[in-house]
Amino acid sequence: MSLSRPVKFLLLFLLAFVGGTLYLHFGKDQDWSDSPLLGLITAPVVVAAWKSRDWYTDRARRAGRNWREARDEHKRARGV
């Protein structure tokens, strides 16, 4: 069973929110009134950074694969 894209984003957002809130409260000694607000602000930033990293990694992987295929075609064309 695979989850749809909106459900994945929601779960990732909730994970970032809960993790950020707990980190701010227990790790940085923030008050409970400040931690959820800061977690709510930082969660979309974390999700956007995570997804952009995945996008750039996939893009680099495709570029590398295309470059290797083109290099192999050039080698075959030269008879090497």
Side-chain angles (χ1 to χ4, degrees):
M1 179 176 100
S2 65
L3 300 173
S4 64
R5 178 176 267 170
V7 173
K8 287 180 186 177
F9 277 122
L10 179 65
L11 289 175
L12 187 58
F13 179 83
L14 287 174
L15 177 69
F17 172 72
V18 170
T21 301
L22 291 176
Y23 172 75
L24 286 171
H25 179 70
F26 293 116
K28 296 294 182 181
D29 293 327
Q30 291 283 331
D31 190 23
W32 274 116
S33 61
D34 296 340
S35 298
L37 179 62
L38 291 172
L40 191 62
I41 292 170
T42 58
V45 174
V46 169
V47 172
W50 196 331
K51 293 316 262 179
S52 66
R53 181 188 58 91
D54 288 347
W55 181 75
Y56 278 117
T57 303
D58 290 341
R59 188 174 171 195
R61 185 179 300 121
R62 284 192 310 265
R65 185 184 64 233
N66 292 340
W67 179 81
R68 285 188 297 277
E69 289 174 358
R71 180 189 63 187
D72 292 342
E73 289 176 13
H74 289 301
K75 283 183 178 179
R76 281 192 295 270
R78 287 187 297 167
V80 173

